[in-house]
Amino acid sequence: MRFKIVLLILITLCWYGLGTAFVEGISAVIDLVPRTYSLGGFPRAASLSDIDSDGDLDIIVTNPDKNDIAILLNKGDGAFEISNHYPIDGYPISIISTDIDGDSDIDLVVLDSDGRVRILFNDRKGLFSAGGVYPVEPYAFTISSSDMDLDGDQDIIVLSEEKTTSLLNDGKGGFDVTLSYPAGVNPAPKITADLNSDKRGDIVIGGKDGVSVLLNNGDNTFAQGVYYTTGKMPVSVIAGDLDSDLDNDLVVANYKSHTISILKNTGDGTFQGVVDFPSPKGPNSITLGDIDLDEDLDIVVTNGLSGELSIFINNTVRPLAITTDLLPHGRRSLYYSEKLKAKGGVPPYNWVVLSGSLPPSLHLDPLTGEIVSRGEDEAEGAEAHHKLHEDIGEPLISHDPLCLCLKAPTGLYRFTVQATDSSSSTATADLYIEVLPLPGTISGTINYSGNKKGTIRIGLWARSQSPFMRLFIRPIFSATVTTHGEYKMDNIYPESYLLGAYLDINSDGMRQLDEPYGIFGSREKPEAVVVEHGAALSDIDMELSED
């Protein structure tokens, strides 16, 4: 379900470093908690990757004024410690983190201001050593990676105002082939992203004090741009779903306003309620990622003028949604338990069956969301039995233990459940439970007195099938035994069957005319094998013989 956001006029902000900032809306609240790390110098760009392979995202930051890159390791909860600095010969201005040499860990690729690409290889423990250096374009300003030649490794794309350069990976982290194209890129902030959920790339372009959004018409043209005022000198823009409503919002870094702006997508590629969050001086790049492992996108901002890195932990309340979409079937006379799951909203949740009904003897716990068989009739009877003997002062007499099992008739039971969170938001899901009978077993002996060798194949055909169809349809249930003697077939669905067996001499899975066979009862008058609910049939014997 898509939630369209309409922002209220009232907006409450808390100054960076002093607390939590909120943007209140009808269906979601943007809640960003800022943290700041002092790096000194002029932090220019950041990349998020799990460089130490511990399951969370770490941060790598370029710092041209210090001629190095800084590594901040995630403690697992979105807090970081500065672990290492790696010197770079030149001014590092752009960085990507990806597996360059195919060893399943994250390496670093750094672009410096002299137009050189530098590789730093990971030792699989989060420590880096210098790799190759590749000159490209003196006025290059950004890099990215992609498998350009579809050979299974990451190549590097370098953009400048005059040309685009591709470095092709040799599969081991070396780059022997350089391809250049006379197609430059204006360094003004520009991204492509699907903003209206039509699976087409729309364009966002930075301007003097805002951004223009151009929606893709689907015919190689774009609609006229819609301009949104953000702050002075937007230098970076990025798209991501900040409020978990399944569309891309925008985050803009405003270099001269010392703010980041959040533009919330209404779902159709238009944006309402541009909201500014204070950041340290000179925010110049933005990166998104789930750094605290709570399944939403947090914001990482480098601030060049203050020499600081800002992290905005996203505590936005996600829309309430029931994530359970399929329930397992139940078997009569067996215990049933399955817990419904939801995410988002404000826990805890309260559960109720809104329409339809659960199979009789199943109960939905409103507090835990667990659907469980509880043998209601017996439970109520036992409680009354207990109370009666307590009232008259007699000792409790023994009785059979309760059967906390599924007792509903077989069939398909459809129902709608509703979850309500602590803020009274609701979500619903249409579900069903199929109740199946308890399967049975068939066992017996297969006798064969001949001297032919082969595998004995046993089959059950439903008597509800016509005799003609049984000639051509494989058995519903089958089993094999390597020698004559005892056999057993489990998990047989209740039904009336014909039972037969033959000696597969040719190992082709089909009975030939020269292969011995037998039928339960006799060939002239087969007997039905009736498997009832949970039945265990024994002494179902057969004799294999020649025609």
Side-chain angles (χ1 to χ4, degrees), residues 301-362:
V301 181
T302 57
N303 302 279
L305 295 180
S306 67
E308 294 172 303
L309 180 76
S310 294
I311 298 174
F312 293 87
I313 298 296
N314 189 352
N315 289 335
T316 300
V317 176
R318 293 170 288 169
L320 177 62
I322 296 174
T323 57
T324 300
D325 57 3
L326 185 65
L327 292 171
H329 64 252
R331 292 278 188 184
R332 293 195 64 205
S333 302
L334 295 183
Y335 182 72
Y336 187 93
S337 176
E338 185 70 15
K339 191 171 184 179
L340 300 177
K341 296 179 181 179
K343 67 178 182 179
V346 184
Y349 310 125
N350 186 270
W351 297 87
V352 65
V353 176
L354 197 63
S355 62
S357 62
L358 295 172
S361 75
L362 290 189

Side-chain angles (χ1 to χ4, degrees), residues 47-103:
S47 181
L48 295 178
S49 284
D50 182 11
I51 63 174
D52 54 0
S53 303
D54 63 350
D56 50 37
L57 292 176
D58 309 301
I59 305 176
I60 311 98
V61 183
T62 65
N63 200 324
D65 278 8
K66 289 193 168 187
N67 300 100
D68 71 8
I69 59 173
I71 306 293
L72 289 82
L73 294 181
N74 197 330
K75 297 179 180 179
D77 58 357
F80 291 83
E81 60 180 356
I82 302 174
S83 78
N84 284 304
H85 293 266
Y86 292 90
I88 299 295
D89 183 15
Y91 296 99
I93 57 175
S94 183
I95 188 168
I96 56 175
S97 50
T98 186
D99 183 9
I100 290 295
D101 52 2
D103 62 353

